[in-house]
Amino acid sequence: MIESPLLQNLTGYIGGRWTDSAGGSTFDVYNPATGEVIAKVPSMPEQDILDAVEAGKQALRLTNPYPLETRRKWLEDIRDALKDNREEIGRILCMEHGKPWKEGQGEVDYAAGFFDYCARHIQALDAHTIPEKPKDCTWTVHYRPIGVTGLIVPWNFPIGMIAKKLSAALAAGCPSVIKPASETPLTMIAFFSIMDKLGLPDGMVNLVMGKASVIGKVLCEHKDVPMLSFTGSTEVGRKLIVDTAEQVKKLSLELGGNAPYIVFDDADLDAAADNLIANKFRGGGQTCVCANRIFVHEKVADAFGEKLAERVNKMTVGDGMNDGVDIGPLVNKAGFDKVKRHLEDALAKGGKLVAGKQPDELGEGLFFPPTVVQGVDRNMACYQEETFGPLVPMALFRTEEEVIEAGNDTEFGLASYVFTADAERAQRVAAGLRFGHVGWNTGTGPTPEAPFGGMKASGIGREGGLEGLFEFVEAQTVPRGF
Ligand code: NAP
């Protein structure tokens, strides 16, 4: 079992108190590197979720809103507490998710960055006035907190994803009911144990865990929850749209991706290969922004494939708590089996393995080696579906028009990347790609300073940047006649 000063209370947190009325009903949390159960956490009953919403309702202040300065202080305090605890939260994150400890600490820094950004820009949420001619009315625009929000996050960034949402929700003055993924509740408990010491109003942040169906039902149906902010699969996102339609709830949805990574023949191939390694293998390839289809111009395909294989063959796979490990285990068996299925399918349909292992050599456990397959086409599962693992599928292209069409040949529109030395071409390709993020000569992903989100089936709304800061407020206009 995991021991940590930040895990003294393995329970939910409601109304400023650690709360467990699950009556011994728990679910197991595993270390994917060892397969061991490292904690048991409560599967909270429906009444707890209702209590969490009620606590949020009590914390919501409409007629006497929390001043901007107060909200700024909450954000700064959380930022500082995250920084102070980066190593321990990173360790807990590594043990339940599998990503290397160092990478886990980097994720804590990333999370702190969102609180910092919202603290520095919170003034943008202040009311402002607009004179109206010729009626001589003065209009005041207020940014009101939308209300109690449900924040539902996935396991792939156990602290990063909640930071994006909670920073903006707190900046707006919105209380929240937070549900972590069932694979990674411990990072969230650790986060709550540091927030518990910061003197936030009771009920401002509430933690619930357990069956997604129970929690989702309350959050979708409760009249006092006007907004859900969800990061996860498009499949669940679609369900939330249907289940909240009756009440016309606001939804912020960060959903799946199927990122094209396009390498033209004039690109710096070493830089393109280095960026692909950093982009693709972060979190073991289990990120929504990681390259999922690599399109390489036919003239440089062999050279690029060699550069990639050379780099991949130097990577170390292992327990993320060990020094020198680049890639940890995949998070669970279902994730492992999906990557294996994609590899088998690609090889059966004519793909060529240039780095990694044959499917029957993969062995036991959740460790999947970094793998490169050439000769991929649109009939393969790895082209059509989000693989969510360390498989690099490479396809060929000849013309700019062809590759824009191929890049867009997916229902998703989250992240994409283009590598070319030609600035005009980069601008044309970026404009043609229906993706919320287009990296030009970089594989970098979201950052606190910039709005990030998906087009098409990759979601609705933006997180980060000023756009993200405004996600949890509603503009209210008050024109004054005399
Ligand atoms: P998931 O299965 O959709 O789960 C995400 C969260 O939703 C978990 O907390 C899950 O709880 C919960 N959930 C499941 N069913 C629910 C329901 N009916 N009502 C309410 N909540 C429900 O996704 P995942 O497999 O954890 O995450 C991977 C997906 O997230 C990928 O598709 C990835 O691309 C996407 N993602 C997108 C972004 C982005 O910024 N667009 C960022 C990261 C990840 P349980 O864990 O208890 O099932």
Side-chain angles (χ1 to χ4, degrees), residues 408-422:
N408 286 331
D409 179 21
T410 168
E411 68 169 329
F412 298 110
L414 194 60
S416 59
Y417 309 90
V418 53
F419 284 75
T420 175
D422 180 338

Side-chain angles (χ1 to χ4, degrees), residues 152-153 155-156 179 181-182 230-233 236 254-256 288 386:
I152 304 172
V153 288
W155 47 262
N156 67 341
K179 184 211 171 301
S182 294
F230 169 81
T231 299
S233 61
V236 174
E254 297 289 333
L255 309 177
C288 54
E386 192 181 27

Side-chain angles (χ1 to χ4, degrees), residues 152-157 161 164 179-183 210-213 215-217 220 230-237 239-240 243 253-257 286-289 386 388 414 446 452-454 458 463:
I152 304 172
V153 288
W155 47 262
N156 67 341
F157 289 93
M161 292 299 138
K164 293 178 171 204
K179 184 211 171 301
S182 294
E183 280 85 354
K211 287 209 174 78
S213 53
I215 298 168
K217 185 166 187 293
C220 286
F230 169 81
T231 299
S233 61
T234 296
E235 184 192 352
V236 174
K239 179 168 165 47
L240 296 179
D243 292 354
L253 301 175
E254 297 289 333
L255 309 177
Q286 302 168 110
T287 74
C288 54
V289 293
E386 192 181 27
F388 241 53
L414 194 60
F452 180 83
S458 287
E463 292 183 336

Side-chain angles (χ1 to χ4, degrees), residues 8-120:
Q8 297 303 302
N9 298 284
L10 288 182
T11 70
Y13 185 90
I14 297 174
R17 271 173 218 85
W18 296 100
T19 308
D20 178 9
S21 56
S25 169
T26 60
F27 63 95
D28 293 339
V29 184
Y30 294 88
N31 179 342
T34 62
E36 287 164 5
V37 174
I38 52 171
K40 290 179 180 292
V41 299
S43 188
M44 297 167 75
E46 182 180 0
Q47 189 55 50
D48 277 358
I49 322 306
L50 291 166
D51 290 349
V53 173
E54 182 57 30
K57 201 174 153 193
Q58 296 304 320
L60 180 66
R61 283 183 20 185
L62 294 177
T63 51
N64 58 341
Y66 298 104
L68 280 184
E69 278 314 311
T70 304
R71 290 181 264 153
R72 191 200 315 268
K73 174 122 185 15
W74 298 341
L75 296 163
E76 290 171 345
D77 287 351
I78 295 175
R79 172 198 64 198
D80 294 344
L82 281 170
K83 286 186 177 169
D84 290 346
N85 291 278
R86 67 188 291 283
E87 284 195 14
E88 185 56 7
I89 297 178
R91 186 179 74 88
I92 294 166
L93 200 162
C94 168
M95 296 212 23
E96 63 178 353
H97 174 285
K99 68 176 74 174
W101 186 12
K102 267 216 177 110
E103 200 177 316
Q105 293 175 55
E107 189 183 324
V108 181
D109 297 337
Y110 176 69
F114 284 90
F115 291 97
D116 181 62
Y117 179 87
C118 287
R120 285 190 289 113

Side-chain angles (χ1 to χ4, degrees), residues 261-264 266-276 416-423 425-426 430 437-444:
Y261 192 99
I262 301 168
V263 182
F264 280 94
D266 62 350
D268 177 336
L269 295 188
D270 283 305
D274 287 341
N275 273 275
L276 183 55
S416 59
Y417 309 90
V418 53
F419 284 75
T420 175
D422 180 338
R425 173 154 65 196
H437 175 100
V438 189
W440 174 26
N441 290 345
T442 175
T444 198

Side-chain angles (χ1 to χ4, degrees), residues 258-420:
N258 183 356
Y261 192 99
I262 301 168
V263 182
F264 280 94
D265 53 348
D266 62 350
D268 177 336
L269 295 188
D270 283 305
D274 287 341
N275 273 275
L276 183 55
I277 296 287
N279 165 286
K280 178 68 201 183
F281 298 114
R282 189 162 63 121
Q286 302 168 110
T287 74
C288 54
V289 293
C290 71
N292 201 59
R293 293 167 296 152
I294 291 75
F295 295 104
V296 189
H297 192 277
E298 61 176 0
K299 282 194 198 151
V300 293
D302 287 344
F304 188 68
E306 277 168 30
K307 286 180 189 296
L308 210 52
E310 196 181 295
R311 286 162 173 77
V312 160
N313 288 332
K314 288 187 191 143
M315 299 187 88
T316 307
V317 183
D319 185 333
M321 286 307 295
N322 296 336
D323 284 344
V325 165
D326 301 303
I327 302 182
L330 293 176
V331 76
N332 56 28
K333 177 117 180 24
F336 185 93
D337 289 347
K338 183 176 188 188
V339 190
K340 187 175 172 191
R341 173 171 65 80
H342 281 193
L343 177 59
E344 283 167 345
D345 174 74
L347 298 181
K349 290 176 180 162
K352 184 177 149 221
L353 188 70
V354 290
K357 290 182 179 167
Q358 290 288 343
D360 58 1
E361 295 169 346
L362 288 169
E364 296 297 307
L366 299 177
F367 296 101
F368 203 108
T371 305
V372 182
V373 175
Q374 280 183 327
V376 163
D377 64 45
R378 75 179 306 285
N379 298 314
M380 299 177 181
C382 63
Y383 183 109
Q384 297 292 341
E385 302 169 24
E386 192 181 27
T387 301
F388 241 53
L391 170 64
V392 181
M394 289 171 59
L396 296 182
F397 75 91
R398 283 168 207 84
T399 67
E400 184 180 315
E401 295 70 29
E402 175 196 345
V403 81
I404 292 175
E405 198 181 325
N408 286 331
D409 179 21
T410 168
E411 68 169 329
F412 298 110
L414 194 60
S416 59
Y417 309 90
V418 53
F419 284 75
T420 175

